[in-house]
Amino acid sequence: GLRGMISQLFIMSKLSRGIWALFTIAIVSVTLLLSLSKYVTFGLGDLLVLLATFLQSFFVIWVLHYIEPKSYLGIDAMTKYFAVGFILAVPTAFVIEGIIMNTFYLLFYGTLGLFQLVRLNVIIDYVDNNSRVFQLVG
């Protein structure tokens, strides 16, 4: 239980302790900066989304470490695996999202340009009149 987790924290490597310390400092700093900034609206809802994002990861760590003892993996190793996964996943997600969004815009505006060449003014007028809806979807 809790004693096991506390004992795991004391036997973690310097790297894992550094990762946890950096994570804690980063979250506290970002939350304080966003909360205190007069230029950014960071309310309770935003804070709850931020906390829920990290609680999901902590829940997975808890399940792997305490619910499934047959596949025992120490907190030290899990910390390193999660850090490496985060470092690999975040840039990959940004790149893939950029590719998907740019492909969508290329298809959308390419089709709109084709409609202008063919002179389908009814469709062009519809898109112009409902551009707000298309911006929300994109």
Side-chain angles (χ1 to χ4, degrees):
L2 187 58
R3 271 187 204 197
M5 186 171 185
I6 292 173
S7 67
Q8 286 276 327
L9 294 176
F10 285 115
I11 62 172
M12 282 197 312
S13 67
K14 288 182 183 180
L15 176 62
S16 292
R17 278 188 255 148
I19 290 170
W20 279 106
L22 183 63
F23 169 76
T24 304
I25 291 168
I27 292 301
V28 169
S29 299
V30 167
T31 303
L32 284 175
L33 287 172
L34 290 174
S35 299
L36 300 175
S37 174
K38 63 181 181 180
Y39 302 109
V40 178
T41 305
F42 187 78
L44 181 62
D46 298 318
L47 180 63
L48 291 175
V49 168
L50 182 66
L51 290 175
T53 301
F54 292 113
L55 284 176
Q56 176 186 6
S57 297
F58 297 146
F59 178 73
V60 170
I61 289 173
W62 180 74
V63 166
L64 287 175
H65 190 68
Y66 291 107
I67 302 292
E68 285 292 327
K70 63 183 175 194
S71 61
Y72 179 78
L73 187 62
I75 296 289
D76 186 53
M78 279 194 280
T79 299
K80 292 172 185 172
Y81 287 139
F82 268 82
V84 168
F86 185 79
I87 288 171
L88 293 175
V90 170
T92 304
F94 277 118
V95 168
I96 290 174
E97 182 180 357
I99 291 170
I100 290 171
M101 290 307 299
N102 287 322
T103 302
F104 173 75
Y105 285 133
L106 177 69
L107 290 173
F108 180 75
Y109 287 112
T111 305
L112 191 61
L114 182 66
F115 288 157
Q116 287 178 342
L117 285 175
V118 180
R119 305 226 185 254
L120 294 174
N121 291 330
V122 175
I123 296 173
I124 296 167
D125 292 339
Y126 178 79
V127 171
D128 286 340
N129 292 334
N130 296 299
S131 64
R132 181 74 177 142
V133 173
F134 289 108
Q135 289 173 352
L136 290 175
V137 170

